[in-house]
Amino acid sequence: MNINWYPGHMKKTIESLKSMKAQCDVAVVLLDARIPVSSYNPLLDEVLTSIPVLMLLNKSDLADPKETQRWIDYFNGQADTSAIAFSATSKLNEKKLTEALENSVKDLREREAEKGMEKRKLRVMVAGIPNVGKSTFINQLAGKKSAAIGNRPGITKTNQWIRHHKAFDLLDTPGVLWPKLDPPIRGRHLAYTGSIKDEIMDVETLAFELVKEAMKKFEAPMMARYNLTETFDDPVAVMDAIGKRRGCLIRGGEIDYTKVSHLILDEFRAGKWGPITLERADDRSEF
């Protein structure tokens, strides 16, 4: 299941970010805590050279907390990179964020102090893929609805400065994917979590692939969610069982695979299977 997705505005966004970098002191890159590898755009490597980066592991309430901490430890071990967890369902810990950002720009602050400059607001670029939660993060930090929010990719269309916070000026940027989602598992993980528009997807195949991966890596929470106690060898059999349990049927008692596929994807994305991390820090080379 190969997914390629690269609208023209996304190419323009990368070029725009390169030109805007000189105006920023630090970058906050939002990642989906369930898929930290797949939710990072490798094209940002071109943009974020010579600037400190804080990885914000968003949607951490939907991820395995132990795995989230392992990812934080991993990023904190990288040069010019640090990480903290974030969840839109809880109040942003501004003190923790401020400390992390100030620590990222410690060298800059020291140079400015040596020149006798007063401490000023930080200029923070906020970047990430579509639907990863940039606007929610900005609105929590700014204390008012400064950025449009939606549960679908592609809400923010242009760069815009948000200047409501006393300590930060925030540069909100459009979500950006890259030309080829390779290896294919990255495309699947992005699609499972809703970072690719469902309109371009085959939802039945996508749900099949999710169930298939769940059977190998996190079968227990899936089975518990749908009260399944049987032993299954085939993802289609699991989908059949879920369809029967939830009444996803058409005339004659046949399974309505479109309906059961949407059910599976919607409930997984909403965290109703429990906290699940699809990409573990110890297995990051697989993705």
Side-chain angles (χ1 to χ4, degrees):
M1 188 177 185
N2 294 309
I3 301 168
N4 296 320
W5 178 245
Y6 201 56
H9 79 273
M10 292 187 175
K11 181 179 179 181
K12 293 177 183 176
T13 296
I14 289 293
E15 296 303 318
S16 175
L17 292 182
K18 289 179 182 178
S19 67
M20 295 294 290
K21 182 182 68 172
Q23 301 180 36
C24 301
D25 302 308
V26 60
V28 170
V29 177
L30 276 86
L31 304 177
D32 187 320
R34 298 166 294 179
I35 53 169
V37 176
S38 297
S39 59
Y40 177 77
N41 184 342
L43 292 178
L44 287 176
D45 289 344
E46 305 172 26
V47 176
L48 302 177
T49 56
S50 69
I51 185 173
V53 177
L54 175 64
M55 299 294 189
L56 201 68
L57 290 163
N58 193 23
K59 306 185 182 182
S60 57
D61 56 312
L62 303 177
D64 180 337
K66 292 181 180 179
E67 284 302 320
T68 298
Q69 186 57 54
R70 290 189 182 103
W71 277 110
I72 290 172
D73 293 342
Y74 167 74
F75 286 122
N76 285 341
Q78 307 303 302
D80 297 319
T81 305
S82 55
I84 59 173
F86 171 63
S87 169
T89 61
S90 59
K91 192 177 186 320
L92 176 65
N93 187 332
E94 285 197 40
K95 182 180 178 182
K96 184 178 180 181
L97 174 68
T98 302
E99 288 175 351
L101 286 172
E102 287 292 342
N103 188 58
S104 296
V105 297
K106 185 177 179 181
D107 291 344
L108 171 66
R109 291 297 201 194
E110 289 176 352
R111 290 195 300 271
E112 291 182 343
E114 288 173 359
K115 295 177 182 178
M117 298 172 63
E118 292 186 6
K119 189 173 181 179
R120 58 174 176 80
K121 293 172 73 173
L122 284 177
R123 295 163 301 194
V124 183
M125 176 187 290
V126 183
I129 64 170
N131 205 32
V132 76
K134 296 187 306 300
S135 296
T136 299
F137 164 70
I138 286 171
N139 288 338
Q140 283 210 27
L141 193 57
K144 62 187 296 185
K145 191 172 183 181
S146 305
I149 295 177
N151 61 358
R152 58 188 176 83
I155 296 295
T156 303
K157 298 296 186 185
T158 60
N159 297 327
Q160 56 179 329
W161 282 102
I162 310 296
R163 304 184 187 276
H164 302 305
H165 196 273
K166 61 182 180 181
F168 316 115
D169 285 340
L170 305 170
L171 179 63
D172 188 15
T173 65
V176 188
L177 290 176
W178 53 104
K180 186 176 182 182
L181 304 178
D182 190 50
I185 193 171
R186 292 190 184 185
R188 293 198 299 272
H189 284 177
L190 288 167
Y192 297 161
T193 54
S195 290
I196 297 174
K197 295 178 180 178
D198 281 343
E199 295 94 302
I200 68 167
M201 305 300 304
D202 175 353
V203 294
E204 293 181 20
T205 301
L206 185 60
F208 173 89
E209 292 290 343
L210 174 58
V211 171
K212 181 180 177 181
E213 187 166 338
M215 291 174 72
K216 294 178 180 178
K217 298 179 180 178
F218 45 93
E219 186 175 46
M222 177 181 67
M223 300 289 281
R225 173 63 188 171
Y226 301 108
N227 297 314
L228 303 178
T229 57
E230 306 94 316
T231 299
F232 298 98
D233 297 322
D234 178 11
V236 174
V238 176
M239 295 175 72
D240 287 347
I242 294 171
K244 291 174 183 176
R245 285 273 185 185
R246 293 299 187 86
C248 299
L249 305 172
I250 55 179
R251 215 175 270 181
E254 296 293 322
I255 302 297
D256 184 337
Y257 286 105
T258 299
K259 187 174 181 179
V260 75
S261 296
H262 280 292
L263 171 75
I264 288 168
L265 292 168
D266 289 347
E267 293 198 348
F268 175 79
R269 291 168 181 171
K272 293 182 178 179
W273 291 19
I276 292 172
T277 297
L278 292 167
E279 299 172 359
R280 298 176 178 272
D282 292 344
D283 302 327
R284 59 186 177 275
S285 60
E286 294 181 12
F287 312 106

